[in-house]
Amino acid sequence: MPNYNESQVSGTAWQRCHTVTVRNPLAGVPTIEFAEERVIAIDGDDIKQWCQGCGKTFDMAGTFPLLDPATNAPTGATMTHAQLYVALYSLYMQTAAERDAQEPTP
């Protein structure tokens, strides 16, 4: 029996991170989790499927190479987990301050 409305398609597929979650427990080691999805682009439509994801415990002395997001090429620079933690903390504090400035005072 033929498949209803069957057609030939062409496309590409890739995997990407769509959500980053940082856990900063009061009594514990911070962790970062990357939720991933597989995108299948077929004839102008994107089909998304959940993938396994990955994560890491912050090691303040640990380092990682920086990559250019546009090309995925190494920039030659590295960053420590501690520097990333400081950057995320700083962004949080700025964002919280901006929110607080918008709230009416009691």
Side-chain angles (χ1 to χ4, degrees):
M1 174 184 302
N3 293 323
Y4 178 72
N5 277 341
E6 182 176 324
S7 63
Q8 297 296 313
V9 297
S10 64
T12 58
W14 65 96
Q15 195 162 316
R16 64 181 294 273
C17 175
H18 70 80
T19 303
V20 178
T21 303
V22 176
R23 300 193 188 283
N24 189 31
L26 183 59
V29 179
T31 60
I32 190 164
E33 299 169 2
F34 303 95
E36 295 176 299
E37 67 185 359
R38 181 170 173 79
V39 180
I40 304 165
I42 302 174
D43 293 338
D45 292 323
D46 290 342
I47 301 167
K48 299 171 187 168
Q49 299 173 327
W50 291 96
C51 293
Q52 181 177 345
C54 53
K56 185 161 279 293
T57 299
F58 277 87
D59 169 7
M60 296 309 173
T63 63
F64 56 96
L66 297 180
L67 305 175
D68 181 328
T71 65
N72 203 38
T75 66
T78 61
M79 179 178 277
T80 66
H81 291 204
Q83 289 169 320
L84 176 60
Y85 190 84
V86 167
L88 291 171
Y89 172 81
S90 299
L91 179 58
Y92 163 65
M93 292 304 292
Q94 177 189 355
T95 304
E98 291 169 352
R99 176 207 54 213
D100 294 347
Q102 298 300 315
E103 293 180 359
T105 56

